[in-house]
PDB file of all heavy atoms in Angstrom:
ATOM      1  N   CYS B 309     132.897 332.867 103.356  1.00 98.00           N
ATOM      2  CA  CYS B 309     132.512 333.592 104.430  1.00 98.00           C
ATOM      3  C   CYS B 309     131.363 332.746 105.130  1.00 98.00           C
ATOM      4  O   CYS B 309     131.477 332.463 106.400  1.00 98.00           O
ATOM      5  CB  CYS B 309     132.012 334.993 104.143  1.00 98.00           C
ATOM      6  SG  CYS B 309     130.926 334.974 102.547  1.00 98.00           S
ATOM      7  N   SER B 312     132.553 329.608 106.756  1.00 98.00           N
ATOM      8  CA  SER B 312     133.321 329.954 107.960  1.00 98.00           C
ATOM      9  C   SER B 312     132.593 330.458 109.122  1.00 98.00           C
ATOM     10  O   SER B 312     133.093 330.696 110.214  1.00 98.00           O
ATOM     11  CB  SER B 312     134.543 330.906 107.624  1.00 98.00           C
ATOM     12  OG  SER B 312     135.268 330.397 106.580  1.00 98.00           O
ATOM     13  N   CYS B 313     131.357 330.883 108.944  1.00 98.00           N
ATOM     14  CA  CYS B 313     130.595 331.741 109.788  1.00 98.00           C
ATOM     15  C   CYS B 313     129.966 330.919 110.916  1.00 98.00           C
ATOM     16  O   CYS B 313     129.164 329.981 110.702  1.00 98.00           O
ATOM     17  CB  CYS B 313     129.521 332.446 109.100  1.00 98.00           C
ATOM     18  SG  CYS B 313     128.420 333.490 110.115  1.00 98.00           S
ATOM     19  N   PRO B 314     130.303 331.168 112.145  1.00 98.00           N
ATOM     20  CA  PRO B 314     129.712 330.361 113.257  1.00 98.00           C
ATOM     21  C   PRO B 314     128.287 330.623 113.458  1.00 98.00           C
ATOM     22  O   PRO B 314     127.559 329.741 113.866  1.00 98.00           O
ATOM     23  CB  PRO B 314     130.525 330.890 114.502  1.00 98.00           C
ATOM     24  CG  PRO B 314     131.192 332.229 114.102  1.00 98.00           C
ATOM     25  CD  PRO B 314     131.263 332.069 112.707  1.00 98.00           C
ATOM     26  N   SER B 315     127.856 331.929 113.067  1.00 98.00           N
ATOM     27  CA  SER B 315     126.484 332.202 113.122  1.00 98.00           C
ATOM     28  C   SER B 315     125.634 331.423 112.106  1.00 98.00           C
ATOM     29  O   SER B 315     124.575 330.907 112.415  1.00 98.00           O
ATOM     30  CB  SER B 315     126.233 333.658 112.916  1.00 98.00           C
ATOM     31  OG  SER B 315     124.828 333.989 113.065  1.00 98.00           O
ATOM     32  N   TYR B 321     121.293 333.219 108.992  1.00 97.00           N
ATOM     33  CA  TYR B 321     122.037 334.370 108.475  1.00 97.00           C
ATOM     34  C   TYR B 321     123.091 333.780 107.509  1.00 97.00           C
ATOM     35  O   TYR B 321     123.799 332.849 107.745  1.00 97.00           O
ATOM     36  CB  TYR B 321     122.747 335.007 109.616  1.00 97.00           C
ATOM     37  CG  TYR B 321     123.768 336.025 109.271  1.00 97.00           C
ATOM     38  CD1 TYR B 321     123.381 337.192 108.484  1.00 97.00           C
ATOM     39  CD2 TYR B 321     125.031 335.889 109.682  1.00 97.00           C
ATOM     40  CE1 TYR B 321     124.387 338.028 108.055  1.00 97.00           C
ATOM     41  CE2 TYR B 321     126.069 336.764 109.189  1.00 97.00           C
ATOM     42  CZ  TYR B 321     125.570 337.868 108.469  1.00 97.00           C
ATOM     43  OH  TYR B 321     126.576 338.762 108.131  1.00 97.00           O
ATOM     44  N   THR B 323     126.201 335.180 105.256  1.00 98.00           N
ATOM     45  CA  THR B 323     126.964 336.334 104.871  1.00 98.00           C
ATOM     46  C   THR B 323     127.136 336.664 103.329  1.00 98.00           C
ATOM     47  O   THR B 323     126.974 337.718 102.966  1.00 98.00           O
ATOM     48  CB  THR B 323     128.429 336.049 105.406  1.00 98.00           C
ATOM     49  OG1 THR B 323     128.316 335.367 106.709  1.00 98.00           O
ATOM     50  CG2 THR B 323     129.213 337.337 105.609  1.00 98.00           C
ATOM     51  N   CYS B 346     125.095 338.521 113.229  1.00 98.00           N
ATOM     52  CA  CYS B 346     126.510 338.504 113.053  1.00 98.00           C
ATOM     53  C   CYS B 346     127.108 338.882 114.409  1.00 98.00           C
ATOM     54  O   CYS B 346     126.768 340.015 114.876  1.00 98.00           O
ATOM     55  CB  CYS B 346     126.978 339.366 111.897  1.00 98.00           C
ATOM     56  SG  CYS B 346     128.808 339.849 112.016  1.00 98.00           S
ATOM     57  N   THR B 347     128.074 338.048 114.935  1.00 98.00           N
ATOM     58  CA  THR B 347     128.642 338.549 116.222  1.00 98.00           C
ATOM     59  C   THR B 347     129.967 339.357 116.104  1.00 98.00           C
ATOM     60  O   THR B 347     130.671 339.587 117.008  1.00 98.00           O
ATOM     61  CB  THR B 347     129.088 337.274 117.076  1.00 98.00           C
ATOM     62  OG1 THR B 347     130.014 336.506 116.257  1.00 98.00           O
ATOM     63  CG2 THR B 347     127.808 336.413 117.344  1.00 98.00           C
ATOM     64  N   THR B 348     130.207 339.760 114.856  1.00 98.00           N
ATOM     65  CA  THR B 348     131.351 340.510 114.423  1.00 98.00           C
ATOM     66  C   THR B 348     132.637 339.758 114.863  1.00 98.00           C
ATOM     67  O   THR B 348     133.612 340.333 115.405  1.00 98.00           O
ATOM     68  CB  THR B 348     131.395 341.966 115.051  1.00 98.00           C
ATOM     69  OG1 THR B 348     131.407 341.886 116.408  1.00 98.00           O
ATOM     70  CG2 THR B 348     130.134 342.636 114.616  1.00 98.00           C
ATOM     71  N   CYS B 349     132.635 338.518 114.615  1.00 98.00           N
ATOM     72  CA  CYS B 349     133.811 337.649 115.025  1.00 98.00           C
ATOM     73  C   CYS B 349     134.899 337.827 114.060  1.00 98.00           C
ATOM     74  O   CYS B 349     136.106 337.424 114.373  1.00 98.00           O
ATOM     75  CB  CYS B 349     133.507 336.140 115.141  1.00 98.00           C
ATOM     76  SG  CYS B 349     133.343 335.329 113.509  1.00 98.00           S
ATOM     77  N   TYR B 350     134.674 338.359 112.925  1.00 98.00           N
ATOM     78  CA  TYR B 350     135.710 338.667 111.809  1.00 98.00           C
ATOM     79  C   TYR B 350     136.333 337.510 111.240  1.00 98.00           C
ATOM     80  O   TYR B 350     137.383 337.570 110.491  1.00 98.00           O
ATOM     81  CB  TYR B 350     136.876 339.592 112.454  1.00 98.00           C
ATOM     82  CG  TYR B 350     136.551 341.030 112.561  1.00 98.00           C
ATOM     83  CD1 TYR B 350     136.023 341.564 113.750  1.00 98.00           C
ATOM     84  CD2 TYR B 350     136.657 341.871 111.484  1.00 98.00           C
ATOM     85  CE1 TYR B 350     135.703 342.880 113.828  1.00 98.00           C
ATOM     86  CE2 TYR B 350     136.325 343.251 111.611  1.00 98.00           C
ATOM     87  CZ  TYR B 350     135.845 343.705 112.836  1.00 98.00           C
ATOM     88  OH  TYR B 350     135.466 345.058 112.964  1.00 98.00           O
ATOM     89  N   THR B 351     135.753 336.351 111.417  1.00 98.00           N
ATOM     90  CA  THR B 351     136.308 335.117 110.656  1.00 98.00           C
ATOM     91  C   THR B 351     136.294 335.256 109.212  1.00 98.00           C
ATOM     92  O   THR B 351     137.216 334.986 108.487  1.00 98.00           O
ATOM     93  CB  THR B 351     135.651 333.812 111.131  1.00 98.00           C
ATOM     94  OG1 THR B 351     135.624 333.777 112.602  1.00 98.00           O
ATOM     95  CG2 THR B 351     136.435 332.609 110.765  1.00 98.00           C
ATOM     96  N   CYS B 352     135.106 335.686 108.767  1.00 98.00           N
ATOM     97  CA  CYS B 352     134.966 335.856 107.202  1.00 98.00           C
ATOM     98  C   CYS B 352     135.821 336.866 106.678  1.00 98.00           C
ATOM     99  O   CYS B 352     136.423 336.712 105.571  1.00 98.00           O
ATOM    100  CB  CYS B 352     133.545 336.121 106.944  1.00 98.00           C
ATOM    101  SG  CYS B 352     132.922 337.566 107.917  1.00 98.00           S
ATOM    102  N   THR B 363     132.781 342.350 107.801  1.00 98.00           N
ATOM    103  CA  THR B 363     132.314 342.550 109.030  1.00 98.00           C
ATOM    104  C   THR B 363     132.055 344.058 109.222  1.00 98.00           C
ATOM    105  O   THR B 363     131.055 344.485 109.739  1.00 98.00           O
ATOM    106  CB  THR B 363     133.332 342.048 110.048  1.00 98.00           C
ATOM    107  OG1 THR B 363     133.705 340.765 109.764  1.00 98.00           O
ATOM    108  CG2 THR B 363     132.568 342.041 111.527  1.00 98.00           C
ATOM    109  N   ILE B 366     128.991 345.041 107.363  1.00 98.00           N
ATOM    110  CA  ILE B 366     127.745 344.623 108.200  1.00 98.00           C
ATOM    111  C   ILE B 366     127.449 345.775 109.188  1.00 98.00           C
ATOM    112  O   ILE B 366     126.324 346.171 109.447  1.00 98.00           O
ATOM    113  CB  ILE B 366     127.944 343.280 108.707  1.00 98.00           C
ATOM    114  CG1 ILE B 366     128.032 342.152 107.662  1.00 98.00           C
ATOM    115  CG2 ILE B 366     126.842 342.986 109.815  1.00 98.00           C
ATOM    116  CD1 ILE B 366     128.600 340.890 108.059  1.00 98.00           C
TER     117      ILE B 366
HETATM  118  S1  LIG D1703     131.914 338.326 111.424  1.00 81.39           S
HETATM  119 FE1  LIG D1703     129.847 337.888 111.386  1.00 81.39          FE
HETATM  120  S2  LIG D1703     129.357 337.208 109.295  1.00 81.39           S
HETATM  121 FE2  LIG D1703     131.546 337.064 109.574  1.00 81.39          FE
HETATM  122  S3  LIG D1703     131.953 334.965 110.195  1.00 81.39           S
HETATM  123 FE3  LIG D1703     131.708 336.225 112.139  1.00 81.39          FE
HETATM  124  S4  LIG D1703     129.536 336.086 112.679  1.00 81.39           S
HETATM  125 FE4  LIG D1703     129.793 335.440 110.509  1.00 81.39          FE
END
Side-chain angles (χ1 to χ4, degrees):
Chain B
C309 48
S312 302
C313 177
S315 182
Y321 168 63
T323 323
C346 160
T347 61
T348 68
C349 78
Y350 282 96
T351 308
C352 56
T363 318
I366 292 161

